[in-house]
Amino acid sequence: MRMAEGGVTSEDYRTFLQQPSGNMDDSGFFSIQVISNALKVWGLELILFNSPEYQRLGIDPINERSFICNYKEHWFTVRKLGKQWFNLNSLLTGPELISDTYLALFLAQLQQEGYSIFVVKGDLPDCEADQLLQMIRVQQMQRPKLIGEELAQLKEQRVQKTDLERVSEANDGSAILDEDEEDLQRALALSRQQIDMEDEEADLRRAIQLSMQGGSRNISQDTPQTSSTHLTSEELRKRREAYFEKQQQQQQQQQEDPPGQLSHPCETPTTSSGAVGSDLGDAMSEEDMLQAAVTMSLETVKNNFKTEGKK
């Protein structure tokens, strides 16, 4: 009373304005009293849903037009637009369609969670959404999620995507390592094949060298044995001269002696020529034998080469 008497410039009035109000705060929260008085402007009235007064009426919730729900400092509306009910909670990503059979269960669930539910009585103002939904019915394929839940899901998807990218990068790295390892294995295999080929070539060269050494050794061993019996060209010339001298002497004796007689029957041309011929035959036979031995040795070496080549 004193504050009213003092006017808006009084000390009591300034103190009252400085005190916090229980009907609103800076976050935009309003008390039920403020909301109730605001609705009265539109000719609407709020009645507590679980009050004895309303329960005695026995009204089915689907026959109402709107409900206002409050929990602590959060308010939201459940309203009938056209012929369908919608949950217009601002914490959802969009309106949630509520069927007629589920409406009573939904309100009961809110009450169990601690919500206060108020029935809005009176004629609601017309709106474009209500007029449109009077003509058509909507079907909701996916229910909206809570904003926080959607943000958490998006965050989880980003984390999963990052993990997948890391796994993919790891797989790409392992694939590169596998390719490098395969290249290394191929290089090692080629290196082994080259080493084996070089070893085979070295063995073949050693075999050829040993075969050639063996052939030359056989030739060197055969040569001294035949050289001891081989006649030199000088000796062969002397033997031929002696042979021709004996021939001349025999011819002279035949001319001096009468026909049909021989002065030296033991020294007939046949015998002399046979002796020299035998010497020449022996010399030629030895030479032929030496040539044959050399030919056989060369054939042996060739055969060894052929055998090593087939291996």
Side-chain angles (χ1 to χ4, degrees):
M1 182 65 68
R2 287 183 303 173
M3 182 178 63
E5 293 176 354
V8 295
T9 58
S10 64
E11 184 68 22
D12 293 336
Y13 184 78
R14 288 195 297 268
T15 304
F16 172 76
L17 291 178
Q18 293 176 358
Q19 292 178 356
S21 173
N23 294 324
M24 62 171 296
D25 58 19
D26 296 336
S27 64
F29 169 76
F30 293 94
S31 65
I32 185 62
Q33 290 82 7
V34 174
I35 295 176
S36 178
N37 290 330
L39 292 176
K40 287 180 179 180
V41 177
W42 300 94
L44 302 174
E45 181 183 2
L46 293 180
I47 300 176
L48 189 61
F49 178 72
N50 60 350
S51 64
E53 180 182 359
Y54 183 78
Q55 293 297 324
R56 283 195 298 267
L57 297 176
I59 302 175
D60 191 345
I62 63 174
N63 295 324
E64 300 290 351
R65 296 293 301 173
S66 178
F67 298 93
I68 294 179
C69 307
N70 168 250
Y71 179 73
K72 295 183 178 180
E73 296 181 356
H74 177 62
W75 296 85
F76 71 91
T77 302
V78 178
R79 178 174 175 176
K80 190 174 186 179
L81 296 172
K83 299 179 180 180
Q84 295 174 292
W85 285 90
F86 293 90
N87 176 12
L88 304 179
N89 192 342
S90 60
L91 297 180
L92 297 176
T93 56
E96 179 185 10
L97 180 64
I98 301 175
S99 63
D100 293 343
T101 56
Y102 181 64
L103 178 61
L105 295 176
F106 179 71
L107 295 176
Q109 181 181 355
L110 291 178
Q111 286 181 322
Q112 291 180 357
E113 293 177 359
Y115 277 85
S116 299
I117 302 175
F118 300 90
V119 182
V120 180
K121 304 295 290 185
D123 295 331
L124 298 177
D126 293 334
C127 66
E128 184 178 357
D130 185 52
Q131 294 175 0
L132 180 63
L133 292 177
Q134 289 287 347
M135 297 180 292
I136 60 174
R137 296 178 64 88
V138 299
Q139 293 182 355
Q140 193 168 44
M141 305 303 297
Q142 185 176 1
R143 296 179 62 183
K145 299 179 181 180
L146 290 172
I147 294 177
E149 182 180 356
E150 185 181 18
L151 293 176
Q153 186 175 4
L154 292 175
K155 183 178 180 180
E156 184 178 359
Q157 290 177 354
R158 286 194 296 267
V159 172
Q160 291 178 355
K161 183 178 180 181
T162 304
D163 294 339
L164 290 175
E165 291 177 352
R166 292 176 180 175
V167 172
S168 178
E169 291 176 357
N171 291 333
D172 293 340
S174 62
I176 294 173
L177 292 177
D178 292 339
E179 293 178 358
D180 293 341
E181 186 175 357
E182 290 178 359
D183 294 339
L184 178 60
Q185 292 296 332
R186 285 195 292 269
L188 291 176
L190 293 174
S191 178
R192 293 194 195 99
Q193 292 178 0
Q194 186 175 2
I195 292 173
D196 294 339
M197 293 176 63
E198 292 177 354
D199 293 340
E200 292 177 357
E201 292 178 357
D203 294 339
L204 180 59
R205 287 196 296 270
R206 284 195 294 269
I208 294 173
Q209 185 177 2
L210 291 174
S211 177
M212 295 177 66
Q213 290 177 356
S216 62
R217 190 181 299 111
N218 293 331
I219 295 173
S220 63
Q221 291 176 357
D222 293 339
T223 303
Q225 294 176 359
T226 58
S227 63
S228 61
T229 59
H230 178 63
L231 294 175
T232 62
S233 60
E234 184 65 24
E235 292 174 351
L236 185 59
R237 185 181 62 79
K238 289 180 179 180
R239 289 191 180 189
R240 287 178 179 177
E241 289 177 356
Y243 169 74
F244 288 123
E245 288 177 358
K246 288 181 180 181
Q247 289 287 336
Q248 290 176 0
Q249 291 175 2
Q250 289 177 1
Q251 289 177 1
Q252 290 176 0
Q253 288 178 1
Q254 289 177 0
Q255 291 176 0
E256 292 175 357
D257 293 340
Q261 296 182 356
L262 293 173
S263 60
H264 300 286
C266 61
E267 295 178 357
T268 59
T270 304
T271 305
S272 300
S273 62
V276 177
S278 64
D279 292 340
L280 290 173
D282 293 340
M284 293 300 291
S285 298
E286 291 174 357
E287 186 175 358
D288 292 339
M289 290 174 64
L290 178 60
Q291 185 66 33
V294 172
T295 303
M296 292 176 63
S297 178
L298 291 175
E299 290 179 354
T300 302
V301 173
K302 290 180 180 179
N303 292 330
N304 290 334
F305 286 162
K306 291 180 180 179
T307 303
E308 294 294 335
K310 291 179 180 179
K311 292 180 180 179

